[in-house]
Amino acid sequence: EHGRVKGLSQWVIDGGDLLTGANYVRAIQVRSATLYTAARATRGRPLMRRLCDANCGQVETLAHILQVCDRSAAARSDRHNRAVDFLTDTWRKQGYTVRLEPAISTSLGGRRPDMVVYKEGVAAMVTDMTILADHADLDFGHRSKVQKYDTPEVRAFVSELSGVPAAEVHFSAVAFNWRGALSRASAKDLALWGVTRPQLEVLSVRILEMGYRIYSKWKCSTWRKPRGSRT
């Protein structure tokens, strides 16, 4: 997946332009999944503890910590929100209006896309940010988000908001995985909407930095799921 979007990994070679030395090392550790976890520490020692320290009942891998564990839920939400904030700032500097998380009723249930981006009477896009598992098909994740929001009710809402005809409203997604890879379909759409390749590289790096922050907060926390809990 990393090789599908050219230039997104240039920071690995010249990371000093984007990162301090410490943050460069941390970003590499997240991307390569070499941070300490019970699963990694017990390779070749099957009798040692491999389950999550938060009492999840799941194997303690970096993927589990960054994507699933209840202990890191708040930090994961912060990672998502910071990525949305980065794109919001990028588009607003280009003269777009960005409406965040509008609540839209549809026949299929409520929809709340992360961003509606538009220039009044000119162009409008609905897009949603998602950070997926490292084994996920990122283009499939992109298409799934588009299908979720591309409904007549959402088109009508955005058309009324932006003054753009409903048939011309564009639907997209920003589908990364936690290792910083980006869907090629997402990259193509973002380029059409003025997000440059260097900006995408910065966003990829920020996701890795936030991944390390999630890991650090998880390590420092003492919260554990109560025994017998199913939630």
Side-chain angles (χ1 to χ4, degrees):
E1 292 286 1
H2 277 93
R4 291 168 63 83
V5 179
K6 292 182 179 179
L8 201 65
S9 300
Q10 186 64 28
W11 66 272
V12 176
I13 299 171
D14 53 15
D17 293 339
L18 293 177
L19 297 157
T20 65
N23 283 343
Y24 176 83
V25 171
R26 293 164 182 166
I28 291 291
Q29 287 175 316
V30 173
R31 175 164 161 159
S32 58
T34 54
L35 291 165
Y36 178 92
T37 64
R40 183 171 174 80
T42 56
R43 289 179 178 178
R45 295 182 289 173
L47 299 181
M48 299 290 290
R49 179 190 69 83
R50 300 180 73 241
L51 297 183
C52 179
D53 182 64
N55 199 33
C56 299
Q58 304 295 318
V59 176
E60 186 185 294
T61 64
L62 186 59
H64 170 77
I65 293 169
L66 299 188
Q67 296 295 109
V68 180
C69 187
D70 290 339
R71 181 188 283 183
S72 55
R76 278 199 305 277
S77 179
D78 188 45
R79 176 184 61 182
H80 173 274
N81 292 339
R82 285 174 180 257
V84 169
D85 289 345
F86 178 88
L87 288 170
T88 297
D89 291 344
T90 298
W91 278 316
R92 285 177 174 165
K93 288 175 182 177
Q94 295 178 16
Y96 288 99
T97 299
V98 182
R99 176 86 172 266
L100 297 175
E101 297 187 348
I104 307 170
S105 297
T106 78
S107 59
L108 300 174
R111 294 290 185 265
R112 192 182 288 269
D114 286 325
M115 294 166 280
V116 176
V117 185
Y118 64 94
K119 286 184 179 179
E120 191 167 351
V122 177
M125 174 177 65
V126 176
T127 191
D128 207 63
M129 181 80 203
T130 184
I131 300 175
L132 301 168
D134 58 347
H135 62 270
D137 182 326
L138 294 178
D139 284 347
F140 178 80
H142 174 98
R143 292 192 299 270
S144 296
K145 287 291 187 180
V146 171
Q147 292 169 2
K148 176 179 179 179
Y149 292 106
D150 189 359
T151 69
E153 295 93 340
V154 174
R155 284 184 176 275
F157 175 90
V158 176
S159 178
E160 183 177 354
L161 178 69
S162 65
V164 174
E168 296 178 14
V169 174
H170 184 68
F171 289 82
S172 187
V174 184
F176 278 92
N177 66 25
W178 60 263
R179 293 185 191 249
L182 175 64
S183 158
R184 184 162 56 180
S186 296
K188 288 181 178 179
D189 272 2
L190 288 166
L192 292 174
W193 284 77
V195 182
T196 66
R197 194 57 57 88
Q199 288 170 328
L200 290 180
E201 185 183 12
V202 170
L203 182 54
S204 174
V205 170
R206 295 294 175 264
I207 287 170
L208 293 170
E209 288 182 306
M210 289 302 299
Y212 186 84
R213 184 174 298 184
I214 293 170
Y215 173 81
S216 296
K217 290 186 176 181
W218 183 91
K219 289 284 287 184
C220 292
S221 174
T222 59
W223 182 91
R224 305 187 85 229
K225 182 180 289 188
R227 290 186 177 181
S229 173
R230 295 184 178 181
T231 59

